[in-house]
Amino acid sequence: MKLFGTMEINNKGHLKIGGCDVVDLTNKYGTPAYVVDEDLVRERCKLFKSNFSYKKMDTEVIYASKAFLNIAMCQLVKEEGLSLDVVSGGELYTAIKADFPVEKIYMHGNNKTIEELTMAIEAGVGRIIVDNRQELELIESLCESLNSKVDVLLRVNPGIEAHTHEYIKTTKNDSKFGESIFSEEIYKIINRINNSSHMEFKGLHSHIGSQIFQEKSFYEQSEVMLKFVKKIKEKCDVRVKELNLGGGFGIYYSEGDTPMKLNEFLKNMLENIEDKAKELSITVPKIMIEPGRSIVANGGTTLYRVGGTKKTYGGKHYIFVDGGMNDNPRTALYGAQYEAAIANRMTESHEDIYTISGKCCESGDMIVKDINLPHPNVNDVVAVFSTGAYNYSMSSNYNRLPRPPVIFVKDKESRCVVKRETYEDLIKNDLAI
Ligand SMILES: *Cc1c(COP(=O)(O)O)cnc(C)c1O
């Protein structure tokens, strides 16, 4: 088990995050609760911002907000000087409400609705990432009726398979995202944008997957993309000024996960791009990346209370906690692995192999499978680590469970930044027949 950021164990054997005893946090805010180590998240933002630079290259780090987004997170990202990538009207709305600088917002999505595109154009977002030809025509006509102009990147599929889970692989040739760089159509699309009076072609976007550990995949992606940049110059006489290489940097969830040393890797990646561009005799475009998970995952911890345990006739030992797949669907969805601890008895030795399961009515409702823990007692606090990304943002009200609150901790202080949902919240949109 790995402790992250400001985590420590106090003399009572309790886990502390941001200087706060998690047992005190559960008494104050109840369980389940998402706790975010603010210092660690800020440190990760700084790590990307300070290391994603090389010589005089123009670069930009864009936080992929789908990993974890609310007003407080927008404010944090703004303070740390990162840009923001949004994939829906809801994410865009949150960013606008948080006063996030609109020119630093990148609007993504493979099927943006007319309402979403209108909202993005009217708000004046920095870039719209065009997914396909049809969308191009839609943006063109919307801009015409709104009498405005947008800067766009074209999302392309470079056909690279990064070693990652099937559902989070996005760049195989059959991926639903972007237009393939191998199709001849693509040059027509680029010409189409370039000749438009409502769109300014800024460059390209690609994203090769998530939870990637191999540096090689990113080098391969940069190389393929730079070659494509050259081809566009030759075939369309259009200069790609910006190259957005997406996110996907892997993080540590559990034993066997081997994240890249980002501080070295980010510089190496840029150096490599500069070298490749020289080799190909092309001008180095501005390079952007969009980390999501690697900014927030390790900074998040979910706290639950143990309701009971059960040893099945078949011999499986369950710990039942007061949350489940509604606050963390990743185990059920991807077979994700997490580390966890009994947070009020951190120094006790492990006794058995347990499966931490929730209270949802699904056999697949598991949070951590087969983990070594001390024997849990009713009311013990279970901490599940590295839940900062794709937990809160993927949560649901399945079984009409209210979503947990989000608590930021820092310097011995805690602040609730998203309130716990109430039963009243659950029915607020219900209408009687
Ligand atoms: C999801 C996504 C990201 C972020 O991926 P992480 O694995 O969280 O870093 C970045 N860019 C795009 C286009 C995405 O869809």
Side-chain angles (χ1 to χ4, degrees):
M1 183 191 70
K2 224 173 148 131
L3 296 183
F4 296 95
T6 62
M7 286 181 186
E8 54 185 330
I9 296 166
N10 69 11
N11 53 17
K12 294 184 203 157
H14 294 183
L15 175 68
K16 279 172 81 178
I17 311 174
C20 301
D21 184 326
V22 300
V23 176
D24 296 341
L25 292 177
T26 61
N27 291 333
K28 184 165 179 188
Y29 299 102
T31 50
Y34 299 110
V35 175
V36 174
D37 181 346
E38 193 180 325
D39 280 341
L40 179 54
V41 174
R42 287 185 187 274
E43 202 180 283
R44 301 293 294 180
C45 291
K46 289 185 172 79
L47 177 129
F48 272 100
K49 204 157 162 65
S50 61
N51 291 290
F52 198 60
S53 73
Y54 180 72
K55 290 189 186 163
K56 291 208 171 76
M57 279 173 79
D58 193 8
T59 59
E60 185 172 353
V61 180
I62 305 160
Y63 169 61
S65 74
K66 71 178 193 277
F68 175 76
L69 189 72
N70 43 56
I71 298 274
M73 186 61 192
C74 283
Q75 292 173 319
L76 187 156
V77 172
K78 176 177 161 183
E79 283 174 20
E80 294 301 329
L82 270 56
S83 304
L84 199 72
D85 126 8
V86 299
V87 298
S88 70
E91 288 181 356
L92 177 58
Y93 182 80
T94 308
I96 291 170
K97 284 288 170 183
D99 274 330
F100 197 90
V102 278
E103 68 283 2
K104 291 175 78 174
I105 297 178
Y106 287 70
M107 181 76 182
H108 279 272
N110 72 299
N111 186 20
K112 305 172 197 76
T113 63
I114 291 176
E115 289 75 18
E116 287 171 326
L117 284 169
T118 305
M119 190 175 163
I121 295 165
E122 286 184 332
V125 298
R127 301 280 180 278
I128 293 181
I129 289 84
V130 179
D131 184 85
N132 57 64
R133 174 130 208 176
Q134 272 179 352
E135 186 178 81
L136 197 65
E137 302 305 333
L138 179 57
I139 294 174
E140 175 85 8
S141 72
L142 286 174
C143 281
E144 203 164 307
S145 55
L146 296 167
N147 195 22
S148 46
K149 204 174 162 181
V150 289
D151 290 338
V152 303
L153 297 181
L154 176 64
R155 179 155 186 173
V156 300
N157 177 351
I160 291 169
E161 289 198 32
H163 176 76
T164 180
H165 191 280
E166 189 68 26
Y167 296 165
I168 38 187
K169 257 183 205 172
T170 51
T171 334
K172 292 188 303 181
N173 286 331
D174 285 332
S175 158
K176 73 167 182 169
F177 297 105
E179 295 278 0
S180 172
I181 62 167
F182 304 111
S183 147
E184 281 300 313
E185 268 294 291
I186 197 140
Y187 303 102
K188 288 190 204 150
I189 296 176
I190 290 164
N191 281 327
R192 171 78 181 85
I193 304 176
N194 201 45
N195 294 330
S196 161
S197 51
H198 293 291
M199 284 176 272
E200 166 98 14
F201 177 76
K202 289 286 184 185
L204 303 171
H205 173 279
S206 72
H207 170 75
I208 57 168
S210 237
Q211 190 57 357
I212 299 166
F213 294 128
Q214 294 157 325
E215 302 191 1
K216 186 172 111 252
S217 305
F218 293 104
Y219 292 142
E220 213 176 300
Q221 177 197 16
S222 328
E223 183 168 353
V224 169
M225 290 299 288
L226 288 171
K227 283 184 177 155
F228 184 53
V229 167
K230 184 175 170 117
K231 224 161 161 194
I232 292 174
K233 178 85 193 133
E234 289 165 359
K235 290 210 173 197
C236 310
D237 194 27
V238 171
R239 190 162 90 79
V240 171
K241 300 187 195 80
E242 299 176 0
L243 185 56
N244 183 328
L245 296 170
F249 313 103
I251 65 112
Y252 180 96
Y253 281 108
S254 64
E255 237 177 89
D257 290 342
T258 51
M260 303 174 287
K261 288 196 177 64
L262 281 174
N263 50 351
E264 293 165 20
F265 166 71
L266 293 171
K267 280 194 191 310
N268 290 345
M269 181 173 166
L270 290 174
E271 185 180 353
N272 185 272
I273 288 171
E274 202 191 57
D275 291 350
K276 279 275 149 12
K278 221 175 254 165
E279 255 175 67
L280 294 163
S281 355
I282 53 170
T283 318
V284 191
K286 174 177 180 177
I287 306 292
M288 295 107 136
I289 47 170
E290 296 171 327
R293 186 190 316 272
S294 47
I295 299 267
V296 286
N298 294 142
T301 304
T302 310
L303 302 178
Y304 303 98
R305 206 167 277 286
V306 176
T309 56
K310 180 184 279 180
K311 192 152 191 175
T312 63
Y313 182 65
K316 205 173 175 70
H317 221 151
Y318 282 106
I319 304 178
F320 296 145
V321 294
D322 53 359
M325 64 189 290
N326 57 298
D327 62 71
N328 182 357
R330 293 189 66 258
T331 308
L333 200 56
Y334 311 129
Q337 292 285 349
Y338 287 93
E339 292 187 339
I342 306 286
N344 52 315
R345 292 157 55 208
M346 294 294 288
T347 51
E348 290 183 30
S349 53
H350 294 169
E351 279 174 31
D352 204 350
I353 294 173
Y354 297 92
T355 286
I356 302 174
S357 178
K359 56 192 271 108
C360 296
C361 297
E362 284 282 332
S363 295
D365 173 33
M366 276 176 263
I367 298 172
V368 190
K369 279 183 204 167
D370 299 336
I371 180 171
N372 258 306
L373 289 173
H375 183 73
N377 301 320
V378 170
N379 283 332
D380 274 347
V381 175
V382 168
V384 178
F385 301 114
S386 304
T387 59
Y390 305 108
N391 272 235
Y392 168 71
S393 65
M394 282 188 161
S395 63
S396 75
N397 288 124
Y398 182 52
N399 287 167
R400 291 241 142 180
L401 297 178
R403 283 187 182 79
V406 178
I407 314 296
F408 273 27
V409 291
K410 179 181 162 62
D411 299 334
K412 298 184 185 166
E413 287 188 15
S414 62
R415 280 184 296 167
C416 178
V417 301
V418 180
K419 291 191 285 188
R420 180 184 303 283
E421 281 180 342
T422 62
Y423 288 143
E424 204 47 46
D425 291 330
L426 295 176
I427 60 159
K428 72 171 184 268
N429 293 322
D430 292 7
L431 302 170
I433 53 168

